Amino acid sequence: LVMDKVTPLSLVEIDETLIQQFDDELVYQHAIIPIKQSKTSIVIATHTPDNFQLKDILEQVLQKKVSFLHASFLDLQRHIIHYYEQPEHLSKLQLNDTNSQQQIQQKRTRLIPNRIQKPDPENTPNYLLNYILRHAIINKASDIHIEPGDQQTLIRTRIDGTLHLLEALPKSHHKQLISLIKVEASMNITETRLPQDGEFELEWQEQRFDLRVASAPTVHGEKITVRILNKAIFNISLAELGFSESLLEQILPLTQLASGTILISGPTGSGKTTSLFSLLNQLNDQSKNIVTIEDPIEYRIQQLNQMEVNEKAGLNFPKACRALLRQDPDIILIGEIRDQETAKMAIQSALAGTLLLSSIHAKNAISTIDRIISLGVERFWASSAISAIIAQRLIRKLCPYCKVEVKSTRQEQALFQLPKNSTLYQKTGCKVCHGSGYLGRECLAELLPITSELEQGINDAWSPQKIDAYAKKAGMIRFLEEAKKKLLAGTTTVTEIAHVLGIPLC
């Protein structure tokens, strides 16, 4: 056991007999996990191994010499949930009826205690919801799905882009759980036939999360999806998101532009919004008037003038853009370019002397040009206004605790221009990564700067193939080049790269 550095508990052999015998009051009060013991000593996992007062308290209570294993607080929370809040306990809970009008309240922030608390039989609805929310946050889930079935309600969480089953609850729990979430999100609990949207805040461990709730009627009852937005992600740099040094060397000078357009393209769920706001974070200072138009506002940020689209009230992207142009902006962020009118207004804003940041759905950087033109933007306008296009995907990262070295094959060497006999890495699966072999995600990106020569090429209606040939000759940073770096660094696998980029492997 390593005492002086953080050790993943999943890699430690824990005496489950000791877990069952250990006083759970101590576990909940101090956020600790017993590991193993002898007749005279005991090893306990804690996130404060230098807390000598805690050591004295435990030695007095246990009458044994205590040594500490340093574990992260989230890891301890995860294991306390696993050992002391077993999923089968949830099916035995008797939930109260939350359909009472007295339960309806405009409560926008739900506070989860920093310490895990023992289940309270008198307050089981809150315990159940806290269990689900805490589990999702600890495991860095992006979404929670509550799905009614014929006999059961499935609780699933999306982690690293993949849905995982958290629990299957009795169908009798469904109505009460759905109603409790709708109360938190200020939704109409009596309306079950129409889709609804709501939101509320969650505070835990001095972190704030925005939770966006969407309901939809299904044949077996209402389905709820909760999207979890971590406000702290706005402060993550492009480097932390996975952008390579060579990409950053070309992207960061773009932030010094006084006007023009920087587009981030990719499919749904590729992290475009997060990258947009990370880029905006590079630009945010008091000397600039920065305004955003979003649908919906995902990250509420101080010092920014954020406007949310409201179609019901008649405020769409084009109208919002016209209004903001009269607000003397230096930088405009449009959440997404979706239609012809928005595209034209965005390009005109950039030509009017502002720096525009936006996202758009496109396969890669080069196809983004045709995508903009297909929305009705004139070639001359597009070529003049667009400064650079960043295309990106999200790839799963290999678990550092169980990845293994493998020799690259001839096919892999040819596909990614790898050196002969180069070493790659493969997934295996362990307790830390829940058997998936992957742990976390990061960006895989490419960058197409719009040079004067390429600007003329767009005006002359160059084909995508000709633009591709020019970009390759001009040294454009491409997906496959960035993939090669990540493969050789052991960040991910050939299988993951091929899946994300749609490359067929024999």
Side-chain angles (χ1 to χ4, degrees), residues 7 32 96 139 141 169 217 243 290 333 366 369 379 415 465:
T7 301
I32 58 177
N96 299 323
N139 288 282
L169 296 175
F243 285 81
I290 303 176
L333 184 147
I366 291 174
I369 297 171
R379 287 185 174 274
L415 185 60
Q465 293 76 18

Side-chain angles (χ1 to χ4, degrees), residues 366 462-476 478:
I366 291 174
W462 281 3
S463 68
Q465 293 76 18
K466 190 170 182 178
I467 293 176
D468 184 68
Y470 165 79
K472 186 175 182 180
K473 184 179 178 181
M476 169 189 169
R478 307 161 74 88

